[in-house]
Amino acid sequence: MTDPVAAQATGTPGEQFVIDLLDRAVAAMGGQSRDGQHEMARQVARAIESGDHLLVQAGTGTGKSLAYLIPLIAHALESNKPALVSTATLSLQTQIVGRDLPRLLKAITPALDRPVKVALVKGRSNYVCLHKLEGGFPSEEPAEGQLFSLGEDTSVPHFAAAVGGPSSQLGKEVVRLREWAGKTVTGDRDELLPGVTDRAWRQVSVTSMECLGAQKCPMAAECFSELARQDAADADVVVTNHAMLAVSAFEGLAVLPEYDVVVVDEAHELQDRVTGAVSGQLSVAMVHAAAAGARKHTAITVDALNAAAANLEVALAGVPNGLLPNGLNDGQLDCVDQLRDACRAALSDSKGDSSTSADGGRQLARSRLMLILELCERLLAARENREVVWMSRASSFDPHQGYSQPDDTAPAVINVAPLSVAGRLREGLFSGHTVVLTSATLAIGSAFEPAAGGLGLVGEGAPSWTGVDVGSPFDYQKQGILYVAGHLPKPGRGASPESLAELEALIRASNGGALCLFSSRRAAEEAAEALRPKLGMTILCQGDSTMTALVKQFSDEPDTCLFGTMSLWQGVDVPGGSCRLVVIDRIPFPRPDDPLMTARSRAVAQAGGNGFMSVSATHAAIRLAQGAGRLIRSTGDKGVVAVLDSRLATERYAGFLRAALPPFWATTDRKTAVAALERLARANA
C-alpha cells in the first residue's frame, strides 16, 4: 500500500516511475534533468491517468519531447491501444521517429517489461505506389490551370521517353526513383536522399482517392502504405501529423489506429493545419480535366459535365477576388447544382462491369469526379454549415516589378473552408480521447484561453482541461534584449527608407550574425538587394538555395546574415554566436484581405466579441513569439531581438502582444541596442 504522505511529496507510483525513466534517459544521453522537464512529465502522466485534457507550454530548451514521450510509453505498455504523437510538420515527425525515440528507447528499454514498438503513419501520397510504378495507371496529358495533377500521372515504364529521355532532369529523377523503389523497405519519400521534385514524385505515388484499395489492387499485399498501417495497428506508439489527425477527426476515416491518448506537439499550428487539411478548391479547369479523363478511361458521355463547366465559367466571370460574405449567389449556386447532378450521373455511368477490376484509369477518373461532387455538396450547404467561401485567381510574374502580381484575367477558383474547426475537433478529437497539447508558444501571458478557444475547449459543453506553463531553463532577462524601434514610422506597403537604415545600423553593429524575418518574400528580397552593397557582407536570402543549405551556411559562418519569411520564423534552430541578432520587420498580423481571417473576425464581432483581438492579434502574438524564439536556443546564447514595427511600442494592443514574448530585458533606446550588439560582435570575433 502506498504511503499517502510520500505519494503527496513525490507523486503517485506511476508519476515516480516516469520521473525515474526520465532521469535514466537524460543521464544516458549525457544531459541533465531540469525542473521544467520533470514538471511537464508529471503533468502529462497525471493527465493520462485522470483523462483530463492538458495544455502545456514548455519553453525552448525544456526537453519537451522526452517529457511527453516517456509518460506515453509508460501508458502504452499497459494499454491495449497505441498512444499517438501528432506533429505539425513531416520534418518533426521524422525527427521524433528517426532520432528522439531511438535514443530514448536505447536508454530506457532495460527498465521496461518489454520492448516498445514504434510506427510512423503518413498520408498515402508519401509512399511509392508499386502498382503505379509498374504501369498500373495510365498516361495522360496535362490540362493547363487544373488543380489536380492529371498530366503528371504518367505511366512510369515509358515515361522517360515521353519527357525526352532520361537525359532530362525529370527523366533522370524518375529513373532514380525506379532504382530506389527496388531497394527501399518502407517506400517512404523521406528516405530518398537526395530528394526529388514534387512533379517527379507524383509519377510514382497516388492520393487516397486515387488508390484502388486493398480489394482491387493486385499489389495490395506488397503495398508500402498498407504495410505501414498494419505496423501502426500493432504498435505501442504511433507518430503522425496534424493533417492525418484532421482527416481522422473530420472525415471519420480509419487512417489511424484506434487510440486513447494523443500528444499534439507544435499545437499552436493545430487550428491552421486542420483548417488547411479540410479546405477545398473548385475550378472550371478541374471539371474539364475530369470530364476528359472520364471520357478517355470510362468511355462515358461527358456532354453534361462540359456544359455545366461552361455555365459555371460564365457565372464566375467578373467576380472579384476575395471573401464572398454570403457565399455564392443564387445563379452561381444553380450552376453548382447542375454540376453536382452531372457528376452524379457520370459516376453512375462509369461504375464498370466488375467491382474487382484493377482499372487504374477508371479509378483515377472516378476519384476526380468524386472530389468535384464533394466540393459541390459543400458549396451548396456552405451557408447552413457556416463555411467560408471566397474567390481567388493565380498570380502572374511582372517583369517590370520583379515579383508576382494577382492576375484578374486568370480563371476563377472557388475556395471553401470551415469558419471554425472548434466544434468538429471537440467531437472528433477531444471526445473519447485524452489530448495533451504542447508548444513553446501556447499561452499569451498566462492565458491559455485564446488557443483553447480555437480548438473547441472553451464555451458551453466544452470538456475540462488544465493549462500549465513549465517555464524555460533560459534566463531571458540576462541573455536577451528586446528592442522595439518606437521612433520609426508605421509600416506601409513596402520597406521604408527609415526601416532599411535602422536594419543597416543594427546589422553593422552586430557585424552580421543576423536572422532577419520579413512578412513577405518581396520585402526580404528588397532588403537583401538594398543592403548587400552597403554592408559588404554575405547576406543569404530565402530562395537562393534550399532552406536546409541556407540554414547550414548561416550556422557555419558566424558573420553571415539570413533573410527570409514565415518558414524561417518557425524553422530555424541555430544555437551559438551565429545568431546573435533577430530582426522582425513588422508585427505578423494576417493579411487584411485574408478571407478566412476576415470571416472569423466578423463572426466574433457579431457574437459581441472583439474580432481583432480574438483573431488577428492572437494570430500575431503566437507568430511573433515564434520569431523571437529563434534567438535564445541554449543557455550560452546571448543577443538582441529587434522589432522594426513601432506599433509594438505605441498601440493599445502592444501589451497583449508583448505578453506572448519571452521575458527579455526590453528597451526602445537605439543606442542601448547598438552598444549591446557591438559588444557581442567583439566577443564573437
Side-chain angles (χ1 to χ4, degrees):
M1 184 174 179
T2 303
D3 181 349
V5 176
Q8 184 176 7
T10 62
T12 66
E15 289 177 36
Q16 192 57 48
F17 176 66
V18 164
I19 296 302
D20 290 343
L21 284 179
L22 176 59
D23 289 340
R24 180 187 184 116
V26 172
M29 296 178 188
Q32 184 176 2
S33 297
R34 302 184 176 98
D35 291 343
Q37 193 178 40
H38 276 181
E39 178 62 17
M40 179 173 175
R42 287 194 180 95
Q43 292 290 344
V44 174
R46 290 172 190 170
I48 292 173
E49 184 176 348
S50 69
D52 286 339
H53 305 303
L54 173 68
L55 279 70
V56 54
Q57 178 163 282
T60 305
T62 302
K64 62 184 172 70
S65 294
L66 292 185
Y68 67 67
L69 285 172
I70 289 176
L72 272 189
I73 289 170
H75 169 73
L77 291 176
E78 298 180 353
S79 174
N80 59 359
K81 297 179 181 178
L84 208 65
V85 177
S86 177
T87 72
T89 59
L90 290 173
S91 59
L92 179 57
Q93 188 182 22
T94 302
Q95 174 188 310
I96 291 173
V97 173
R99 189 190 72 180
D100 296 349
L101 272 169
R103 295 175 63 204
L104 170 60
L105 293 176
K106 182 179 179 181
I108 68 172
T109 295
L112 303 178
D113 293 337
R114 61 175 176 82
V116 175
K117 184 177 179 182
V118 177
L120 177 65
V121 174
K122 300 180 180 180
R124 195 174 293 275
S125 61
N126 291 281
Y127 301 93
V128 66
C129 172
L130 294 174
H131 186 48
K132 188 170 189 177
L133 195 72
E134 296 304 319
F137 289 81
S139 172
E140 300 189 51
E141 293 302 318
E144 185 177 357
Q146 67 196 55
L147 294 178
F148 44 58
S149 305
L150 273 175
E152 294 166 346
D153 289 322
T154 311
S155 179
V156 175
H158 311 291
F159 187 65
V163 298
S167 60
S168 72
Q169 182 60 38
L170 183 58
K172 289 178 180 178
E173 289 185 324
V174 172
V175 169
R176 186 158 64 87
L177 274 169
R178 288 182 59 79
E179 294 173 349
W180 168 78
K183 304 172 185 177
T184 178
V185 175
T186 67
D188 186 341
R189 180 179 181 177
D190 282 344
E191 289 190 4
L192 178 63
L193 296 174
V196 296
T197 61
D198 289 345
R199 187 182 179 199
W201 181 254
R202 282 194 291 266
Q203 316 312 317
V204 297
S205 66
V206 296
T207 66
S208 58
M209 292 189 72
E210 294 166 343
C211 176
L212 292 171
Q215 300 300 317
K216 295 182 181 179
C217 182
M219 306 193 75
E222 307 163 68
C223 174
F224 291 120
S225 179
E226 290 296 323
L227 291 173
R229 290 168 195 248
Q230 291 172 20
D231 286 344
D234 298 330
D236 299 300
V237 177
V238 175
V239 183
T240 188
N241 55 66
H242 295 354
M244 294 292 286
L245 201 64
V247 171
S248 176
F250 275 67
E251 307 297 336
L253 301 177
V255 295
L256 297 172
E258 189 175 348
Y259 62 93
D260 54 359
V261 176
V262 56
V263 171
V264 180
D265 202 344
E266 299 176 305
H268 64 279
E269 288 280 333
L270 182 61
Q271 183 180 13
D272 287 346
R273 298 281 176 161
V274 168
T275 301
V278 296
S279 298
Q281 293 183 316
L282 175 66
S283 75
V284 170
M286 283 176 64
V287 182
H288 284 311
R295 183 181 62 248
K296 180 176 181 179
H297 299 298
T298 70
I300 65 171
T301 300
V302 294
D303 293 345
L305 279 170
N306 286 325
N311 290 338
L312 182 61
E313 184 172 21
V314 172
L316 299 180
V319 178
N321 289 345
L323 177 66
L324 304 177
N326 299 313
L328 299 176
N329 63 33
D330 290 342
Q332 293 159 351
L333 288 173
D334 287 342
C335 293
V336 172
D337 191 29
Q338 178 189 2
L339 177 58
R340 176 181 62 175
D341 290 343
C343 279
R344 282 176 175 168
L347 283 167
S348 177
D349 293 343
S350 63
K351 285 181 179 178
D353 298 328
S354 173
S355 61
T356 61
S357 174
D359 188 339
R362 186 181 300 275
Q363 180 67 21
L364 283 173
R366 286 177 54 79
S367 71
R368 281 141 194 178
L369 291 170
M370 286 188 284
L371 174 60
I372 294 171
L373 176 61
E374 290 177 3
L375 289 167
C376 289
E377 297 280 10
R378 286 182 68 178
L379 289 168
L380 291 168
R383 295 177 191 173
E384 178 183 351
N385 295 335
R386 301 192 74 204
E387 292 215 276
V388 181
V389 179
W390 70 95
M391 208 68 64
S392 64
R393 287 174 174 80
S395 298
S396 60
F397 184 76
D398 186 333
H400 300 290
Q401 297 292 336
Y403 53 85
S404 294
Q405 291 272 61
D407 185 356
D408 293 334
T409 65
V413 177
I414 310 172
N415 301 264
V416 59
L419 177 64
S420 171
V421 296
R424 297 293 292 274
L425 283 175
R426 183 186 295 184
E427 296 171 7
L429 177 62
F430 292 102
S431 178
H433 308 115
T434 300
V435 184
V436 176
L437 301 117
T438 184
S439 169
T441 52
L442 202 55
I444 297 176
S446 59
F448 288 86
E449 284 75 12
L455 299 174
L457 292 175
V458 174
E460 185 178 352
S464 61
W465 57 277
T466 302
V468 178
D469 186 344
V470 299
S472 168
F474 304 147
D475 188 343
Y476 286 107
Q477 285 276 327
K478 293 182 178 179
Q479 290 183 248
I481 293 174
L482 171 64
Y483 165 58
V484 181
H487 62 282
L488 293 179
K490 290 182 180 180
R493 290 183 61 86
S496 67
E498 294 89 347
S499 65
L500 285 174
E502 190 80 10
L503 181 58
E504 179 186 351
L506 293 169
I507 293 176
R508 196 179 296 280
S510 69
N511 192 33
L515 176 65
C516 300
L517 307 174
F518 294 86
S519 53
S520 70
R521 174 73 73 90
R522 175 188 171 190
E525 291 171 348
E526 287 182 346
E529 183 179 355
L531 295 183
R532 277 169 177 154
K534 293 183 177 181
L535 291 170
M537 60 180 66
T538 302
I539 296 179
L540 308 173
C541 189
Q542 186 175 347
D544 291 346
S545 182
T546 66
M547 191 63 67
T548 301
L550 290 173
V551 173
K552 185 178 187 306
Q553 184 176 350
F554 175 61
S555 178
D556 292 344
E557 300 174 2
D559 297 333
T560 288
C561 301
L562 176 56
F563 289 17
T565 57
M566 186 57 70
S567 54
L568 293 177
W569 286 64
Q570 304 184 78
V572 176
D573 183 11
V574 180
S578 291
C579 184
R580 51 193 179 269
L581 169 63
V582 172
V583 180
I584 297 173
D585 74 330
R586 64 175 65 202
I587 298 169
F589 288 119
R591 288 171 54 101
D593 59 353
D594 184 309
L596 194 52
M597 290 296 187
T598 299
R600 287 175 172 171
S601 295
R602 290 180 180 180
V604 171
Q606 289 169 0
N610 186 320
F612 170 77
M613 295 302 295
S614 296
V615 178
S616 295
T618 296
H619 176 278
I622 297 298
R623 279 147 187 80
L624 193 64
Q626 283 286 319
R630 301 307 98 198
L631 181 69
I632 306 299
R633 310 300 294 179
S634 70
T635 54
D637 289 351
K638 292 184 178 180
V640 174
V641 172
V643 181
L644 306 186
D645 191 331
S646 58
R647 294 174 295 178
L648 194 61
T650 60
E651 296 294 337
R652 294 175 59 185
Y653 52 75
F656 175 81
L657 299 179
R658 289 197 302 268
L661 298 176
F664 296 117
W665 187 84
T667 183
T668 57
D669 182 63
R670 178 182 178 181
K671 292 182 179 179
T672 300
V674 167
L677 288 169
E678 289 173 342
R679 290 194 298 272
L680 284 171
R682 288 193 296 269
N684 199 61

